[in-house]
Every structure is written in structure tokens, then in C-alpha cells.
Amino acid sequence: MMTSSTVFPLEIASNKKSVVNQQPAPVSFGASEGTGSGNAGDVSGKFEDTDNNDNTIPEEPSNKNDDDGVRSEEKKDDEITNESGDEKPDGERKDDQEEKSEGDTSQEEQPQIEEKVEENGEKEQSLNSNEVFPDADQSELLKESNTQNGSFPTQAAESKNEKEVQASSKSSSDETSYSWKLCNTTASTDYIPCLDNEKAIKKLRTTKHYEHRERHCPEEPPTCLVPLPEGYKRPIEWPKSRDKVWYSNVPHTKLAEYKGHQNWVKVSGDYLLFPGGGTQFKNGALHYIDTIQQALPNIAWGKRSRVILDVGCGVASFGGYMFDRDVLTMSFAPKDEHEAQVQFALERGIPAISAVMGTKRLPYPSRVFDVIHCARCRVPWHIEGGMLLLELNRLLRPGGYFVWSATPVYQKLAEDVEIWNAMSSLTKSMCWKMVNKTKGKLNQVGMAIYQKPMDNNCYEKRSENNPPLCKESDDADAAWNVPLEACMHKLPVGPMARGAKWPESWPQRLEKTPFWIDGSRAGVYGKPANEDFEADNAHWKRVVSKSYVNGMGIDWTKVRNVMDMRAVYGGFAAALRDQKVWVMNIVPIDSADTLPIIYERGLFGMYHDWCESFSTYPRTYDLLHADHLFSKLKKRCKLLAVFAEVDRVLRPYGKLIVRDTADTINELEGMAKSLQWEVRMTYTKGNEGLLCVEKSMWRPKELEASR
């Protein structure tokens, strides 16, 4: 890996509290406006982000030239440690700070965020401070304001069936040593705690709705380490990884044996090969993708259609080749339905998660996917009142398309004809318009393409209320542990309601402030929401370009799968656009629900509770980024278990970048060292810090006791 001896992280917070001159009336950005959803309009007293109520920030001398005289018990407040453990000379710091100042864009071009210094109540600093740690509270971007919270409800509050917040657990900050052991499970190297909870699965009364493939998390999150497969190697880099991966990294052959004739995957020596075929696209994924474009030019891959959901993705070749059309694909399939299919996808560098359409909503907000695709997926869309298809209806953007390429579309067997007739009746009653139905001459595969309406006119004209409209009190954005219902949510009403019109074409939508965010609402950091969004965007551009990409010694050619563990507006992912990476943006369930904004930008992500394990295989991400996540989690769950999950998800030689409070940074650094990870950089000033560590190949010898 590349290393750097002159590492200067930029735009990290100092200790000043945010000052909000005016607090606009709070409004939910995740819900519809007008008469769409019954609980969308009045949220001012409903939601409270308790994370922000304890941001007591220690004072710091207002004279920035005196910083070197301020010390903690163990470190200087302004301490930079490089890979060699050497502290940066004062002169070297000054030169780099001056270089940073010259490299910044003009103040007229950057959104200005004013900060008030607590000591004298007079001095103000702007976002463009020359300090490595600017005199601004994360440039108002590391900590939310104490006074806000109504604008963005949390996913935990939105979800009606969400369990009560776990009792606060004691911090493990007083621990000085850790005793790591290998996980002792039947899943072994492929262990996913919430999907391999055999004890809970055995207690299920039924599995007819795939309940056994849904999440069943252990009461106590595991603190063990997942073993490595024998002969594990550093993954092949993108784009070569799309076509082949090391067999030793994903040593499974059943899928190759079962689907080999359909060009899904083949075994060849030390490699698993992916010819780019599939059940529905034997002539290659690109040919199939272009066939869709020819059938419906308005789908406009990479322009109008940017973010799509692939249901029952197989090894995700469809999503892998969609990158060639500048499209992001969120792929999902059940764990072990076809052995290791999602694991294959992630090893190839293609986005995917292990999930199933069973009894609960998928962990995405409503009305966010431009297109939903299902090739040969054997999902029974038409049964039980069309409940599963109605879940796709919840997720599909008004005016978006559903591409259904399955045997009932083009084959005439009795079962296929029966399903086609039932689907035709269901989609018509849902007001979906079939815009095209084709059958390819080359591969003899057909598809039906449906479009969701843009308004409620068709719903109001239906002779029968079947499927029924959801109750006014049903929040379409509630998605964490919420049961499925066979009903349709009304579409947003009003020109400023989210979903009332299509986003800007890609790539313009990445930088464009969503039309439904304006200055009348407060953003996550307390500023008017549109200014908040723009400042966040500018902030992460500077941090990523000047620190993460050019200042940390990370070889980005070896980075493909990236996760932002606390994404807020998606600024970190947007700033990585020019890198050959994709970013899974996670909005924690107890954070402001900004995930619809991320999708509006042409990015994607999902909700998650980091006190539980993530629905992915071990060793599936090259880089994890956590912006003030761990200090919040310490109030709800044991940090040691969260770090064990980080180890499970991260590939060997993968990087973890953490921006957080200094005490949290110190605690995480200790955990990383106990795992024999390389500490590439630590940096603290006052109460804030940054940590960059690299995971090693080390595994303990001892197994934990049997579960």
C-alpha cells in the first residue's frame, strides 16, 4: 500500500458551538407534503434526536496561535502522528496550512458558516479557516445543532414496530486489553450474525414467507472475529474483478454447477469466472441492458434513470454492467438461496446486500428508485393481495418504471399464462401503465415494462378500492422492522412535495439542491436546509480532495467497495464521484432521516441500526468511513461489539477512517492495535480527532465457546 509521511487531515472540528440566528419551523423531509401521508405534515413535536442534547463542548483559547500550549493528559491538543509515529515539526505544519489556504476556493464561491467563539462572545470564524483544525465546530458539520430536530425525523421514530431504544450501556473506554477469539459457528467464514442466528430460526412457527431468511439478531451482539478462508488473498482490483475473482476468497462451487450452463459463474483453476451472462441474458448483460433501452428510450440509462433496484439479483452481473451506463444498482437476494450469490457480487466489486421480500418492508424510504428490475425472479407478485408488488410500488418513484423479465411474460405454459393474467389484473388495479411488452428475436426472452403514475387521478377514478389505499396514518417512509401491508400509499400533493417531479438529469442532480428543500426548514446542522445542504457538499469536497484522496497515503486503485456508516446528506459519497468506487450510504435509524435526499442526488443507501450486524457477508468492503458515529453509539450499545462488526465487514488491508471525539478516537485506536491493525494516522486537537487504520490478516488462534 502507498503510505504518506506528510499527512494533514483537513476540515476537522474544533470546539465552538454552532450559532443559529433563526430556527425555521421544522418539517419532515422524508415524508410527503400536502395530503399524501397522514402524519407527514405535523412533525414539530413528534420527533426528537436525543443524540444532540449532550454536545457539551470544552472551551478552547480563542487565540489560535496559542494552541500548542493547550495539552491533554496524554497528547498535545494539536498532535499529528504519521505512520512512523513522528510528530510534525511546527514549521512543516505551518507550510502545509499555508498551502491549504492557497488551495481553497474563494470565500465568494464557498457557502459561509459563521461560528461564535464562546470565551468572549465576539470572535467569529468562517468555514475557510487556515487551521488544520479550523476554529469552527466541524465547520458546523461534525455535530448537529442542539436546537434542531424537527426537520428530519429519525427512522427509529418513523417505524411503528421499532423496538424501544436499548438501555444505555457503560462505555468500554476503561478497558486497556482485549481478548479476541474466533467465532464458533456453523457458518464459519461466511458468518452473518443476524442471518445465521440458528437458535432464533429454529423457533420460527413458519417459513412460508421466507421468515428464516429475514433478520433475527442475537440478543447480545457477538464480539468474536470471523475466520478467514484458507488461502485468502487480496481481492482482484476493479474492473478486472467484474470478470474473475480468487476461488480461495469465495470457495463455493454449487452455483457454478447449478447455473454454469447459463453463464452465471464458472470455475477455472485458481479463479471463478463471470462471463456476464444470466438466465435472461445469455447473450451478455450489456446486450440485455441495451435491449431495455431500445424497448423504452425514455428510460434513458445514466441520465433520467440513475438509481435502480434489482430484485433477486443472482451474482449481480446486471448491476455490474450497469456501471458502463453510469447507473447505480442496489441488488439484493436472500442468503443461501443460491449459494453465495451476494458474496460473489461483492467480491466482484458490485453493490449487493443479503435481503429477502418476506414479511417486512425493505430498509429503504418511499419513492426513491427510478427503476426497479426483476429478471427471472420467482417472486409470487400476485398472491396475498399483491403485497410484495405493493412494496415495490412504495419504493418506486412516481413516474418510475418496473421492468419485469420473467417466463410469464413470454412463455405459454399453463402456469405462466395464469400468472400473467393475475399480474395484468393486479398492475391495472394499481394504476401501473404497461408501456411496452417485447420478445427478443436473438435470445427469445421477453419483458414487460410498467410505469407508476405521477399523481392520484387514477386512484380516485378506480371503481373498486382494491388494492386499498393505505390509511392516512401509515407512514410510507417507515421502513425498519415494519410489517408489509397490502395497500397503496397516495402520491404526494403539491408542487413542493418530494416526488412531485422528476429529479434533474444525471449528473446534474448530484450537485443540485433538491427542489423540496428550501430555507423555510432547518437542516441537520441548524442552518436553513438549503444552505445546510450546500455547505455540507462543499465541506466534503475539501475534506475528500485535500485529505482523504491526496493526504492519507491511501492507494485508491485498491479501493472499490466503500461504506459511509453515517452519511447525512451523502456529501462524502458525492465527493468520491471521480474515483472508481461505489458508496453504500447508511443512515442510522436514530439519526436524522436524510436518506431520501441521498437518493435524490443519484446516490443510494439504506437504513441500519449499528447496534446490530449489517446484512452483508464478511470481508466485503475496502473502506469504511464513520463521521461522529461511534461516540453516539456508546450511549446505546457496547463499542467492542460494534468494532467487531467493523472487523467482520472490512476486508484485510481495508481502511477505516473515523472522525470523532478525542476520547472515542483513543478508544478505537486501542481496539485497532489489539487486532494488530496498522495505525496509519492519528490526529487530535482539543475534543476532536481523526483516525485512519488498516486491517491486517491477523486472526486469533482460540475459538470462543459454542453458541
Side-chain angles (χ1 to χ4, degrees), residues 605-674:
M606 58 187 287
Y607 299 116
H608 185 58
D609 181 356
W610 283 115
C611 290
E612 301 176 357
S613 78
F614 190 70
S615 293
T616 191
Y617 281 85
R619 307 168 302 279
T620 46
Y621 283 85
D622 300 298
L623 187 145
L624 301 182
H625 179 257
D627 179 24
H628 277 69
L629 170 71
F630 292 99
S631 56
K632 294 176 179 292
L633 287 173
K634 286 197 290 187
K635 306 166 190 175
R636 301 180 50 233
C637 47
K638 295 179 181 178
L639 210 54
L640 191 66
V642 180
F643 206 80
E645 175 65 4
V646 167
D647 176 271
R648 191 187 71 84
V649 169
L650 198 60
R651 288 169 167 171
Y653 308 110
K655 309 297 188 297
L656 169 67
I657 301 175
V658 182
R659 304 165 73 89
D660 219 309
T661 59
D663 62 332
T664 301
I665 292 294
N666 292 335
E667 188 175 351
L668 295 174
E669 183 179 354
M671 292 181 187
K673 287 179 177 178
S674 73

Side-chain angles (χ1 to χ4, degrees), residues 163 191-207 209-222 354 356 358-360 480-481 611-615 707:
K163 297 178 180 179
Y191 181 44
I192 305 177
C194 290
L195 298 181
D196 293 316
N197 187 352
E198 295 179 356
K199 184 177 179 181
I201 292 172
K202 288 177 181 178
K203 293 180 180 179
L204 293 174
R205 296 180 179 179
T206 177
T207 59
H209 292 103
Y210 275 71
E211 290 89 344
H212 58 304
R213 302 297 189 206
E214 295 183 320
R215 292 171 60 84
H216 302 282
C217 298
E219 292 182 9
E220 286 291 326
S354 291
V356 66
T359 67
K360 298 176 182 177
W480 189 251
N481 291 334
C611 290
E612 301 176 357
S613 78
F614 190 70
S615 293
R707 289 182 172 274

Side-chain angles (χ1 to χ4, degrees), residues 440-553:
K441 295 180 179 179
L442 183 61
N443 57 13
Q444 296 298 302
V445 169
M447 68 186 72
I449 305 176
Y450 302 89
Q451 185 175 27
K452 181 178 176 177
M454 284 290 297
D455 55 44
N456 294 308
N457 290 339
C458 177
Y459 297 160
E460 295 167 354
K461 294 177 180 178
R462 293 188 305 165
S463 58
E464 297 183 28
N465 187 33
N466 186 30
L469 293 175
C470 299
K471 296 178 181 178
E472 292 289 322
S473 59
D474 190 319
D475 186 352
D477 289 321
W480 189 251
N481 291 334
V482 175
L484 291 173
E485 290 188 81
C487 65
M488 289 192 303
H489 294 90
K490 293 185 71 174
L491 297 177
V493 175
M496 294 300 292
R498 179 172 71 84
K501 61 181 180 181
W502 203 262
E504 297 281 336
S505 295
W506 178 263
Q508 288 77 17
R509 66 192 280 184
L510 181 68
E511 305 287 337
K512 182 78 171 180
T513 304
F515 71 90
W516 38 274
I517 297 179
D518 58 32
S520 67
R521 317 163 184 228
V524 171
Y525 307 110
K527 285 283 186 181
N530 54 346
E531 297 178 21
D532 226 36
F533 174 90
E534 292 165 4
D536 178 89
N537 194 40
H539 164 79
W540 286 112
K541 278 185 177 180
R542 286 192 297 277
V543 170
V544 168
S545 65
K546 296 181 180 179
S547 180
Y548 293 177
V549 172
N550 297 313
M552 282 190 175

Side-chain angles (χ1 to χ4, degrees), residues 97-402:
Q97 290 169 11
E98 291 174 353
E99 181 179 347
K100 171 186 178 294
S101 176
E102 294 171 0
D104 279 344
T105 54
S106 67
Q107 290 187 351
E108 289 76 20
E109 294 174 340
Q110 295 291 349
Q112 299 299 303
I113 299 181
E114 298 299 325
E115 295 282 341
K116 184 176 181 181
V117 176
E118 271 189 288
E119 284 96 17
N120 52 29
E122 296 175 0
K123 180 181 177 182
E124 291 186 348
Q125 297 279 347
S126 76
L127 188 65
N128 294 329
S129 168
N130 290 338
E131 293 271 21
V132 175
F133 267 172
D135 278 339
D137 182 18
Q138 169 60 7
S139 305
E140 283 191 350
L141 295 173
L142 280 183
K143 294 180 184 294
E144 291 91 333
S145 163
N146 289 334
T147 57
Q148 71 86 35
N149 284 323
S151 288
F152 297 91
T154 66
Q155 180 59 208
E158 290 173 325
S159 299
K160 295 175 290 185
N161 274 18
E162 171 60 20
K163 297 178 180 179
E164 294 183 0
V165 175
Q166 300 180 28
S168 298
S169 58
K170 293 183 179 180
S171 170
S172 58
S173 59
D174 57 343
E175 298 183 28
T176 56
S177 63
Y178 305 94
S179 178
W180 299 103
K181 297 180 181 180
L182 289 176
C183 298
N184 187 3
T185 67
T186 56
S188 187
T189 60
D190 298 336
Y191 181 44
I192 305 177
C194 290
L195 298 181
D196 293 316
N197 187 352
E198 295 179 356
K199 184 177 179 181
I201 292 172
K202 288 177 181 178
K203 293 180 180 179
L204 293 174
R205 296 180 179 179
T206 177
T207 59
K208 72 175 185 177
H209 292 103
Y210 275 71
E211 290 89 344
H212 58 304
R213 302 297 189 206
E214 295 183 320
R215 292 171 60 84
H216 302 282
C217 298
E219 292 182 9
E220 286 291 326
T223 55
C224 57
L225 304 182
V226 177
L228 295 177
E230 185 177 352
Y232 182 86
K233 303 176 184 179
R234 187 166 199 154
I236 294 170
E237 296 169 20
W238 182 269
K240 292 181 179 178
S241 62
R242 184 170 65 181
D243 301 324
K244 65 179 182 179
V245 302
W246 295 115
Y247 170 78
S248 57
N249 289 11
V250 197
H252 300 291
T253 59
K254 288 184 180 178
L255 192 60
E257 296 165 3
Y258 179 56
K259 294 286 188 179
H261 66 290
Q262 295 174 349
N263 281 335
W264 277 32
V265 56
K266 298 179 182 295
V267 180
S268 177
D270 292 337
Y271 300 101
L272 290 164
L273 305 181
F274 300 87
T279 313
Q280 296 300 97
F281 31 99
K282 297 176 183 178
N283 295 288
L286 278 177
H287 175 268
Y288 174 78
I289 290 166
D290 290 341
T291 298
I292 298 174
Q293 175 77 66
Q294 293 164 7
L296 186 67
N298 285 344
I299 211 162
W301 296 132
K303 294 179 181 179
R304 183 186 191 271
S305 299
R306 162 66 180 174
V307 187
I308 72 177
L309 180 68
D310 189 19
V311 181
C313 62
V315 295
S317 289
F318 178 76
Y321 283 90
M322 269 296 189
F323 282 108
D324 289 359
R325 300 294 181 261
D326 221 359
V327 174
L328 273 181
T329 307
M330 174 75 76
S331 300
F332 76 91
K335 182 180 182 183
D336 295 333
E337 185 62 18
H338 289 128
E339 187 188 40
Q341 54 187 335
V342 168
Q343 192 176 18
F344 283 138
L346 288 159
E347 184 70 17
R348 297 173 70 189
I350 303 171
I353 64 166
S354 291
V356 66
M357 298 194 72
T359 67
K360 298 176 182 177
R361 290 178 179 175
L362 293 169
Y364 314 116
S366 67
R367 310 187 308 276
V368 291
F369 287 102
D370 304 333
V371 176
I372 298 179
H373 170 259
C374 172
R376 190 86 179 212
C377 56
R378 298 185 177 275
V379 180
W381 301 116
H382 59 291
I383 68 172
E384 298 187 336
M387 187 162 58
L388 299 183
L389 195 63
L390 290 166
E391 170 63 358
L392 297 191
N393 185 70
R394 181 183 74 86
L395 301 175
L396 189 59
R397 186 181 297 279
Y401 298 106
F402 174 58

